[in-house]
Amino acid sequence: MPSAQSVAIAGGGIIGLTIAWRLAQLGLAVTVYDKGAPGGEASWAGAGMLAPGGEFDAISELAALALESRRLYPGFVRKLEEASRRPIDFQERGALDLAYSSAELASLESRAAAQQRLGIPSKPLTPSQVATFWPHIRKSSLAGARFYRQDAIVDPRHLVTALMEVCRKSNIILMPDCPVERVSVGGAGVRFHTSQGVSDCDFAVIAAGAWSSSLDVEGVPALPRCEPVRGHLIAYQQPAHTCETIVRHGHTYLLQRANGLLIAGASAERVGFVRDIDPSAVGALASEASFVFPHLAETSPAETWVGFRPLSDSVHLGAWHSPRLLLAYGHYRNGILLAPVTAARIAAAVNASSRTQ
Ligand SMILES: Cc1cc2nc3c(=O)[nH]c(=O)nc-3n(C[C@H](O)[C@H](O)[C@H](O)COP(=O)(O)OP(=O)(O)OC[C@H]3O[C@@H](n4cnc5c(N)ncnc54)[C@H](O)[C@@H]3O)c2cc1C
């Protein structure tokens, strides 16, 4: 890869930063533009589940990508910790799916059978096994559970901090508070019009999360639409080992960071980019959290926050009507999980295009 090749990335969330690091490793000169603080949007808000077991039960391209990315994660975290010298809370302890009725148990069992065919293993647990290994979980009416040993969690804020550090060490130029306003795609290169001036590059990547399709792009057809889906999370400060794995019941999940923060999520609302906290969404999450962990009924969440998941018709990973313009958005509820595989796909696309230029 000739070192003169340059790439500009619109968006410094986990997707844009992971791509930046990967392309810098290939020898490209990389600049990342962010409208605000890099890593300050969905990538700051995400719970950080790396959990195909909670997400997929049918064969799809997305499920295959998710499983590939899950396999890449241990190496990704190890290299990022080494290169940044920042610790990353990464826990490979699995996930527990709970059933509190025979109907819920039947649904868990049929889902598990479908997942087995995808390569997502799980095993049944009895209520007494759950009570032994997860002593804080509600036992009354517990009908059974399934354990997914390959599901894991990571702290996305640690990832972002470490990625910012490796970007700095790799001479990647980070441009915070510098929105990309217009992108002009030509045969010889791409021009970024930003709030701080104009800049030309060989390749451009659109990785602006839920805002991606609002960028004004010339020279190619309109970008695939992306819209925000707001999600609330709540968190309780709890003693270590309150929740050793991801715990799921219905649409609710709980997980605990190494620092003790026990997180419960998540709501999903199509309300545009409205950042207000909705007390009814917080109340519903708190009620579900205290259903699973009854002792939480005696306490209030220490923190609540929202973020905007980027929803599109699919995950867009690759060239858009020009080998010089690459899309990396639409990761919806799995962008933390999909970051390593996204960077690998974009790097492959840039590499292939550079060889043919
Ligand atoms: C409540 C919640 C829980 C979640 N839980 C999980 C989970 O457990 N596991 C998982 O894998 N995923 C989870 N996700 C999804 C995950 O957080 C996202 O898919 C992922 O963070 C998307 O990353 P991104 O870099 O594409 O977007 P973002 O992190 O939103 O980054 C986009 C960046 O682009 C910048 N930008 C926007 N417009 C412009 C512009 N014009 N010019 C320059 N910069 C611009 C923004 O400022 C932002 O920094 C969750 C999301 C939410 C909201």
Side-chain angles (χ1 to χ4, degrees), residues 59-273:
I59 291 172
S60 68
E61 203 181 325
L62 184 58
L65 276 175
L67 287 165
E68 184 181 342
S69 211
R70 174 65 189 91
R71 284 190 289 275
L72 293 173
Y73 240 94
F76 172 61
V77 168
R78 193 183 61 250
K79 284 184 197 140
L80 189 51
E81 275 187 322
E82 278 167 15
S84 66
R85 299 189 175 276
R86 302 273 179 161
I88 295 170
D89 177 11
F90 174 53
Q91 305 173 29
E92 293 187 287
R93 298 209 197 102
L96 183 71
D97 268 22
L98 297 167
Y100 283 94
S101 68
S102 50
E104 284 185 4
L105 190 56
S107 151
L108 283 192
E109 298 301 331
S110 71
R111 187 161 191 265
Q115 290 177 318
Q116 207 79 34
R117 294 191 280 278
L118 286 182
I120 301 176
S122 64
K123 67 173 190 183
L125 294 183
T126 63
S128 65
Q129 286 172 314
V130 173
T132 304
F133 295 108
W134 288 267
H136 304 289
I137 281 177
R138 176 182 297 273
K139 291 159 202 85
S140 124
S141 332
L142 185 60
R146 288 204 74 95
F147 181 65
Y148 289 79
R149 64 180 161 77
Q150 292 178 353
D151 285 356
I153 62 174
V154 71
D155 186 335
R157 298 179 194 179
H158 286 182
L159 287 179
V160 163
T161 305
L163 283 164
M164 302 262 290
E165 183 62 18
V166 291
C167 284
R168 197 184 58 74
K169 289 183 173 177
S170 312
N171 297 322
I172 292 164
I173 300 171
L174 289 179
M175 300 287 288
D177 303 313
C178 187
V180 178
E181 289 159 354
R182 190 150 47 93
V183 179
S184 310
V185 184
V190 183
R191 176 163 287 183
F192 263 31
H193 304 257
T194 76
S195 63
Q196 295 180 31
V198 167
S199 158
D200 291 320
C201 54
D202 297 303
F203 298 97
V205 182
I206 308 297
W211 293 264
S212 295
S213 62
S214 60
L215 267 68
D216 182 8
V217 181
E218 307 172 330
V220 290
L223 300 186
R225 189 175 145 67
C226 193
E227 66 165 299
V229 177
R230 187 178 69 184
H232 288 71
L233 288 175
I234 62 172
Y236 304 81
Q237 199 59 51
Q238 288 287 296
H241 312 299
T242 300
C243 181
E244 295 269 25
T245 66
I246 299 169
V247 173
R248 298 187 284 250
H249 177 235
H251 293 299
T252 306
Y253 57 79
L254 296 111
L255 58 90
Q256 189 171 29
R257 302 245 189 272
N259 66 8
L261 209 63
L262 193 155
I263 294 171
S267 65
E269 302 107 14
R270 290 168 99 146
V271 292
F273 289 104

Side-chain angles (χ1 to χ4, degrees), residues 10-16 33-43 45-49 178-180 207-211 215 231-233 253 266 307-310 331-337:
I14 189 165
I15 298 298
Y33 298 88
D34 201 286
K35 68 172 177 52
E41 293 287 357
S43 303
M49 284 182 298
C178 187
V180 178
W211 293 264
L215 267 68
H232 288 71
L233 288 175
Y253 57 79
F308 300 111
R309 304 177 187 92
H331 297 77
Y332 191 39
R333 36 189 289 152
N334 285 295
I336 311 299
L337 169 61

